[in-house]
Amino acid sequence: MNIEFLKKAEEAKPKLTSKTHTVKGGQILAENECAVYDFGTHVVGYPKLYFSAVGAHYDAPALVKVRFCETAQELDEDTSKYNGWISKGWLQDEIIHLDELPCAYAFRRRFAFRYIKVEVIATSPKYKLCIEKAVAKCVTSAPERIAVCGSDRKEKAIDKIALKTLSECMQYEFEDGPKRDMRLWLGDLRLQALTNYQTYRHNDLVKRCLYLFAATADDEGNISQCVFTKPEVAPDDTSMFDYSLLFIPTLYDYFMATGDKQTINDLLPLAEKQIEIAKKQFNGNAIEDCDRLGWCFLDWSLELNKQAGAQAVYIYAEKSLVKLLKELQKNTSVYEQDIALKSVKAIEKFYDKAQGLFVSGKQRQISYATNVWYVLAEVFGQKENAFILERLKTCENVVKPVTPYMMHHYVQALINSGNACEGRKVMRDYWGGMAEHGADTFWELYNPENPDESPYGGKTVNSYCHAWSCTPSYFLRKYFAEV
Ligand code: RAM
């Protein structure tokens, strides 16, 4: 652990502000009855339920099941049926005993929810349970309010939801989702930071997160895919090829937004190290594929082959490094030569001339993820990039995006290739689709063609307020204000 970097991260730790929301109750419940409390919108915080007994003096503890749901659909899901591969521990279910009535039961855990469902498992024949009110102390480190932006009602609605998504993920760090994983992930951080520069401008929070990744890098300089901060700061024991490389553009964006030279001087060696480490995955100038599940992320799709896309992320990241070094008036020639070699090789190995698209892996798979990253890496010029995106739309058997993370990159690729109007339409349709489904905050996964999409083996653990989906607020301010 780099103690000096950890100290800098802790110095930038924000204070949380809180606000209390109350939902009136009054329902009287017998055994096996339930009631739902709707906070009117998604909240993140510490709930408290006020109970009293109705009837004769209570003569046994009340046993109550409380569920916290981010969306209305979840209210009907049977969480006991969830059998996926990530922990059931993420389910927001609590069984509580009330030994004394009346009482205010304060939950020690922080929850992300809009609805609280209270089911009475047991009272006694002598009494029923009254729920007087439900209260939530909501927390965030985002500054108060940002004016909503957008050219019409639809865009304003999207922006409002995106702003809320970001602010609820802004806690002591930029969390990926306040329900799950409540943790700092590099890919998410990059998009949150971009949106933050256009909105809340809480730049010290970005700085803290950059130092947290730097502090927890191992002795060889490997940056972890995510960082735990409780009970103490610690890295996850896994790295992902693309996430580690994305440290570089995240640092570059931070510098462009803040001009903070001190941070850049501290962290530049680690950024350069990421290129050196990533090179180990190459055989000459061509990247090797890898069987390890999750070796490179790109999108939450289990069928997606990552080989060619990984090389594109490498080129993209190295180009950010060159831009950063140029800002600092440093020599870039070694990196520029490497970019040229890797780009030529990528075209030779992965570009299928007949189809006019990049292919990946032994099966020569075509996906949005691969091609979008080549557009972002600007291996070809703007015109050709626009054609690539055009061809993707009519390509059969193409692997489509499933997360707002990948959709963000698709919209960015459309903008970069001179097609901001279409980028805007994609943003309106995709994020607007979630809004039409009643989203208060944008989701971790949304596949309009499959509402049950989940990489976890059950959507009960999906997160419905997820950092990487906040970027419409970035697009709207940075690109679409004048389109
Ligand atoms: C999930 C989280 C997080 C993401 C990683 C790759 O566990 O949702 O947001 O960055 O996957």
Side-chain angles (χ1 to χ4, degrees):
M1 183 82 61
N2 183 317
I3 301 300
E4 187 203 328
F5 289 172
L6 184 61
K7 205 172 147 235
K8 291 198 178 181
E10 294 308 62
E11 278 164 12
K13 188 170 179 177
K15 291 220 157 46
L16 301 187
T17 56
S18 68
K19 248 190 195 162
T20 302
H21 290 278
T22 303
V23 178
K24 276 199 195 125
Q27 289 78 0
I28 296 171
L29 305 178
E31 277 184 14
N32 298 319
E33 288 183 337
C34 73
V36 171
Y37 297 90
D38 178 0
F39 279 74
T41 187
H42 191 277
V43 296
V44 175
Y46 298 88
K48 211 183 220 184
L49 291 172
Y50 289 77
F51 297 99
S52 61
V54 178
H57 196 285
Y58 68 95
D59 59 343
L63 186 61
V64 180
K65 179 171 178 186
V66 184
R67 278 189 62 201
F68 298 91
C69 299
E70 296 189 289
T71 68
Q73 296 91 294
E74 281 174 82
L75 288 167
D76 302 323
E77 280 170 17
D78 182 353
T79 51
S80 68
K81 297 240 161 69
Y82 170 72
N83 234 338
W85 64 270
I86 61 169
S87 174
K88 287 191 175 82
W90 290 115
L91 299 174
Q92 301 193 109
D93 288 356
E94 298 277 310
I95 305 271
I96 59 173
H97 281 95
L98 307 173
D99 292 306
E100 205 175 294
L101 290 162
C103 72
Y105 189 95
F107 292 83
R108 284 187 25 230
R109 304 186 67 215
R110 197 196 72 192
F111 291 96
F113 62 100
R114 168 170 169 170
Y115 305 95
I116 305 182
K117 186 173 182 178
V118 183
E119 296 174 67
V120 177
I121 301 171
T123 51
S124 88
K126 292 271 180 104
Y127 78 100
K128 290 182 179 173
L129 201 60
C130 176
I131 297 138
E132 309 277 356
K133 61 181 174 179
V135 175
K137 185 179 152 210
C138 306
V139 288
T140 177
S141 61
E144 263 292 278
R145 266 182 173 276
I146 298 288
V148 168
C149 120
S151 68
D152 60 6
R153 272 180 61 186
K154 183 170 185 153
E155 282 184 356
K156 285 185 181 135
I158 291 174
D159 188 45
K160 192 170 163 211
I161 300 169
L163 284 170
K164 188 169 175 61
T165 306
L166 178 58
S167 75
E168 301 217 326
C169 293
M170 290 168 76
Q171 300 293 335
Y172 288 119
E173 299 78 44
F174 280 104
E175 293 182 9
D176 61 335
K179 165 183 159 187
R180 207 213 82 242
D181 304 318
M182 306 181 184
R183 197 180 307 153
L184 171 62
W185 283 82
L186 227 166
D188 304 68
L189 169 65
R190 175 167 152 264
L191 303 191
Q192 286 170 298
L194 281 175
T195 309
N196 170 71
Y197 303 136
Q198 300 291 331
T199 56
Y200 298 108
R201 299 200 175 92
H202 191 346
N203 298 345
D204 266 8
L205 191 60
V206 183
K207 176 174 166 180
R208 164 168 165 76
C209 294
L210 288 167
Y211 275 111
L212 283 172
F213 277 110
T216 53
D218 70 13
D219 293 344
E220 273 87 58
N222 288 296
I223 293 184
S224 164
Q225 57 187 7
C226 67
V227 173
F228 302 97
T229 49
K230 288 177 195 138
E232 264 148 27
V233 172
D236 195 356
D237 60 5
T238 319
S239 294
M240 290 195 291
F241 182 87
D242 53 341
Y243 271 29
S244 300
L245 282 168
L246 291 173
F247 183 76
I248 306 170
T250 311
L251 194 62
Y252 169 71
D253 295 336
Y254 173 77
F255 182 62
M256 296 314 283
T258 63
D260 173 359
K261 276 215 169 134
Q262 176 63 55
T263 298
I264 303 304
N265 287 339
D266 282 352
L267 305 185
L268 183 63
L270 194 61
E272 293 188 88
K273 199 85 195 164
Q274 300 318 300
I275 295 291
E276 197 184 311
I277 293 169
K279 273 195 183 140
K280 294 184 192 148
Q281 189 63 34
F282 283 79
N283 181 358
N285 290 307
I287 198 156
E288 299 271 20
D289 208 349
C290 177
D291 291 340
R292 182 169 68 80
L293 191 71
W295 73 277
C296 172
F297 178 63
L298 302 186
D299 196 12
W300 243 137
S301 157
L302 298 176
E303 59 170 327
L304 181 65
N305 182 280
K306 318 284 173 74
Q307 184 186 12
Q311 180 144 348
V313 174
Y314 176 95
I315 296 167
Y316 175 88
E318 197 167 23
K319 285 188 174 177
S320 306
L321 182 59
V322 167
K323 286 196 270 180
L324 181 56
L325 291 171
K326 283 196 168 150
E327 288 294 331
L328 305 169
Q329 270 118 40
K330 293 192 186 234
N331 194 310
T332 57
S333 55
V334 181
Y335 296 114
E336 293 195 81
Q337 278 162 22
D338 189 45
I339 289 167
L341 292 171
K342 299 286 187 294
S343 303
V344 167
K345 194 68 184 176
I347 295 171
E348 190 187 306
K349 195 169 157 89
F350 301 119
Y351 187 65
D352 181 323
K353 269 203 190 122
Q355 304 197 70
L357 288 167
F358 285 88
V359 299
S360 183
K362 279 204 188 82
Q363 313 291 328
R364 299 178 65 75
Q365 182 191 70
I366 299 180
S367 66
Y368 272 71
T370 300
N371 284 278
V372 159
W373 273 107
Y374 275 100
V375 171
L376 295 173
E378 295 176 351
V379 164
F380 287 126
Q382 204 188 44
K383 249 194 180 164
E384 184 52 29
N385 284 341
F387 283 133
I388 287 176
L389 296 178
E390 204 50 41
R391 284 182 211 116
L392 265 184
K393 289 194 278 180
T394 51
C395 176
E396 276 172 30
N397 298 324
V398 61
V399 180
K400 292 191 179 160
V402 293
T403 57
Y405 177 77
M406 192 57 231
M407 285 305 281
H408 163 87
H409 293 103
Y410 180 43
V411 173
Q412 185 76 67
L414 285 164
I415 295 169
N416 294 5
S417 59
N419 222 336
C421 282
E422 196 184 339
R424 188 177 202 165
K425 187 177 177 306
V426 171
M427 183 203 78
R428 289 172 64 98
D429 290 350
Y430 184 76
W431 277 269
M434 284 186 260
E436 274 160 32
H437 280 95
D440 298 310
T441 44
F442 288 125
W443 311 336
E444 173 185 20
L445 291 129
Y446 175 54
N447 178 354
E449 289 166 24
N450 176 18
D452 290 333
E453 185 80 51
S454 173
Y456 308 121
K459 66 174 190 172
T460 314
V461 290
N462 285 10
S463 150
Y464 291 92
C465 174
H466 213 73
W468 64 25
S469 64
C470 71
T471 58
S473 294
Y474 153 78
F475 289 127
L476 282 163
R477 286 172 184 75
K478 179 150 190 194
Y479 301 103
F480 302 153
E482 278 114 44
V483 174

